[in-house]
């Protein structure tokens, strides 16, 4: 598979196909949502909102695939970066409310007034300005990934030990964010958002725009990952996955390669979290839950790790299934998720994307035989 990537161009057939299908999907959803409610093809806004949430999970799955599929690191705590990006966006949305909160305080968020806080913590300062929030959405997850990765990779922690540490990281963050003293809303998190850049979040128009923006970011993230994978860094990334000791022996700093990909992946996950929050209207510590990170791993496994579009397919399929289960049999969802992971591991090692590739290759081979 690595040889194929080295030979492929930036805009390969797969990339063009993915961009075409994703763009058409985005345009179709927007058009159907704009039809009159009396039209049988009208798509309700709550469905658009749900699809937007799926797309943000697809962006997160892309970031996980970069680390697991191409770098070979099974990260069981990647939702920590997703949640941090979401919290930064939540802080911006909370500060944007101004005096429209329940207590009418122009500076302090409602939960701080309720808890008798008298001053805004330093890490909330300036977050009423979107440019600063936009920078922090990328910077905060990237900084945590850099510090964590620097310590872990320079210590040559790998394999199952690294996976356990990533899970411990997200669990520790979840417990920390549950504390009211930390100033992030404790158990309830941040909610009751009203506007984004001056536009009401309750209107249908802004929800459709957020969906379209999520689709655009998905396409851009895909192109960014693709550009990295066909670069020298991407080749080194795959080489590290396949033969780490050889790469180290010929003089490359394996730790730096891992760190760069890990930080890039965290930044993408943070952006996904920032798009997720205004569409669901809340961010709380449960987003740090290790179960969420494992869920994304199952998405990538189902779609086919090591294939960017496979991660997207897996994320969409798993979350459609999750929506169905949580509506019909919520108590069985985790059992179904575990069973799905076992079945994929045993019978579908290359995932849905691998199955599609095999079918296409088989079809081409049969066509060539007929022509011969």
């Amino acid at each position: 598979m690595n040889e194929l990537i080295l030979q492929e161009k930036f805009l390969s057939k797969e990339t063009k196909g993915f961009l075409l299908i994703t763009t058409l999907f985005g345009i179709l959803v927007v058009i159907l949502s704009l039809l009159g409610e009396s039209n049988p093809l009208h798509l309700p806004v709550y469905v658009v909102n749900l699809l937007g949430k799926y797309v943000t999970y697809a962006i997160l799955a892309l970031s996980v695939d970069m680390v697991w599929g191409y770098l070979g690191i099974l990260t069981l705590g990647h939702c920590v970066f997703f949640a941090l990006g979401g919290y930064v966006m939540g802080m911006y949305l909370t500060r944007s409310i101004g005096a429209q909160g329940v207590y009418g305080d122009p500076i302090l968020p409602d939960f701080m007034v309720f808890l008798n806080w008298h001053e805004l913590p330093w890490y909330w300062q300036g977050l009423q300005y979107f440019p600063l929030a936009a920078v922090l959405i990328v910077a905060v997850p990237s900084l945590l990934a850099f510090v964590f990765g620097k310590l872990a990779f320079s210590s040559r922690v790998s394999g199952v030990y690294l996976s356990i540490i990533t899970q411990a990281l997200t669990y520790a963050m979840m417990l920390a964010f549950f504390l009211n003293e930390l100033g992030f809303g404790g158990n309830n998190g941040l909610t009751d958002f009203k506007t984004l850049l001056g536009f009401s979040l309750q209107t249908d128009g802004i929800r459709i725009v957020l969906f379209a923006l999520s689709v655009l970011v998905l396409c851009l993230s895909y192109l960014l990952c693709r550009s990295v994978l066909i670069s020298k860094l991407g080749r080194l990334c795959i080489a590290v996955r396949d033969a780490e000791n050889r790469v180290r022996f010929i003089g490359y700093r394996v730790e730096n390669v891992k760190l760069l990909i890990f930080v890039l992946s965290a930044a993408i996950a943070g952006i996904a979290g920032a798009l997720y929050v205004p569409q669901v209207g809340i961010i709380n510590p449960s987003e740090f839950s290790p179960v969420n990170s494992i869920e994304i791993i199952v998405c990538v496994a189902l779609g086919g790790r090591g294939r960017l579009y496979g991660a997207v397919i897996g994320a969409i399929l798993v979350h459609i299934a999750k929506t169905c289960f949580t509506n019909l049999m919520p108590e069985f969802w985790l059992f179904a998720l575990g069973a799905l992971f076992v079945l994929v591991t045993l019978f579908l090692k290359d995932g849905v994307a691998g199955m599609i590739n095999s079918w296409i290759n088989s079809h081409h081979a049969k066509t060539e035989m007929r022509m011969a």
Side-chain angles (χ1 to χ4, degrees):
M1 183 172 61
N2 49 348
E3 291 176 358
L4 287 174
I5 288 174
L6 294 179
Q7 294 168 3
E8 284 178 354
K9 296 178 181 177
F10 175 63
L11 285 176
S12 63
K13 285 183 180 178
E14 286 182 359
T15 305
K16 288 179 182 174
F18 174 82
L19 293 177
L20 180 64
I21 292 172
T22 307
T23 305
L24 289 176
F25 165 72
I27 292 173
L28 182 64
V29 169
V30 171
I31 290 175
L32 293 180
S33 65
L34 293 176
L35 295 176
E37 292 185 7
S38 57
N39 193 310
L41 295 177
H42 171 71
L43 200 63
V45 172
Y46 76 87
V47 176
V48 178
N49 223 27
L50 190 62
L51 293 174
K53 192 173 77 167
Y54 293 165
V55 174
T56 61
Y57 282 129
I59 300 169
L60 174 61
L62 265 185
S63 72
V64 171
D65 196 30
M66 284 294 287
V67 174
W68 186 33
Y70 292 96
L71 192 56
I73 295 175
L74 177 58
T75 169
L76 296 178
H78 226 63
C79 274
V80 68
F81 309 118
F82 181 83
L84 284 176
Y87 260 98
V88 175
M89 175 57 89
M91 291 163 77
Y92 161 71
L93 295 173
T94 302
R95 290 296 317 274
S96 307
I97 294 174
Q100 298 177 53
V102 175
Y103 297 103
D105 193 302
I107 304 296
L108 295 178
D110 284 340
F111 75 90
M112 289 187 185
V113 177
F114 180 76
L115 294 171
N116 289 324
W117 288 48
H118 301 293
E119 291 183 2
L120 197 67
W122 62 268
Y123 44 84
W124 278 79
Q125 300 289 345
L127 274 169
Q128 69 272 31
Y129 302 112
F130 185 75
L132 176 61
V135 170
L136 291 179
I137 283 166
V138 176
V140 172
S142 301
L143 181 62
L144 178 64
F146 178 81
V147 173
F148 176 84
K150 189 73 177 172
L151 293 172
F153 301 142
S154 60
S155 304
R156 298 197 181 182
V157 180
S158 60
V160 67
Y161 301 104
L162 185 56
S163 300
I164 291 171
I165 292 176
T166 56
Q167 196 167 50
L169 171 69
T170 193
Y171 190 66
M173 292 290 285
M174 183 181 73
L175 294 180
F177 273 69
F178 268 122
L179 300 174
N180 284 327
E181 294 81 1
L182 206 62
F184 293 108
N187 184 49
N188 295 323
L190 307 175
T191 186
D192 194 26
F193 308 131
K194 298 188 185 307
T195 60
L196 173 63
L197 295 171
F199 297 97
S200 172
L201 285 169
Q202 307 308 318
T203 61
D204 293 351
I206 193 70
R207 294 182 180 184
I208 295 170
V209 168
L210 283 169
F211 164 79
L213 185 61
S214 300
V215 172
L216 176 64
V217 172
L218 174 62
C219 292
L220 293 177
S221 301
Y222 189 97
L223 290 175
L224 175 62
C225 294
R226 179 76 188 157
S227 66
V228 170
L229 289 173
I230 63 168
S231 69
K232 183 179 178 181
L233 176 62
R235 296 169 194 173
L236 278 172
C237 168
I238 294 167
V240 168
R241 180 195 65 188
D242 293 340
E244 181 175 335
N245 288 334
R246 287 187 185 180
V247 177
R248 196 188 304 279
F249 182 74
I250 57 179
Y252 286 104
R253 295 291 300 271
V254 170
E255 296 78 16
N256 291 346
V257 176
K258 289 182 176 179
L259 191 59
L260 280 171
I261 298 295
F262 196 65
V263 171
L264 171 68
S265 170
I268 294 173
I271 294 170
L275 287 167
Y276 171 83
V277 169
Q279 297 188 76
V280 299
I282 186 171
I283 178 76
N284 60 37
S286 67
E287 297 299 337
F288 289 101
S289 170
V291 173
N292 290 354
S293 296
I294 294 171
E295 203 170 86
I296 291 298
I297 289 293
V298 177
C299 294
V300 177
L302 175 65
R305 73 186 180 105
R307 293 180 174 86
L308 293 175
Y309 69 94
V312 174
I313 293 172
I316 301 294
L317 291 178
V318 168
H319 285 93
I320 288 174
K322 184 178 181 180
T323 301
C324 296
F325 265 91
T326 48
N327 283 333
L328 301 173
M329 299 178 290
E331 64 275 19
F332 291 109
W333 167 239
L334 288 181
F335 295 104
L337 188 68
L340 180 63
F341 189 50
V342 172
L343 291 173
V344 168
T345 305
L346 292 176
F347 303 110
L348 204 62
K349 291 182 180 177
D350 292 329
V352 174
M355 189 172 65
I356 293 172
N357 267 5
S358 298
W359 181 82
I360 292 174
N361 291 337
S362 171
H363 178 72
H364 284 171
K366 287 179 181 175
T367 306
E368 287 175 3
M369 285 179 66
R370 285 174 194 158
M371 292 179 68

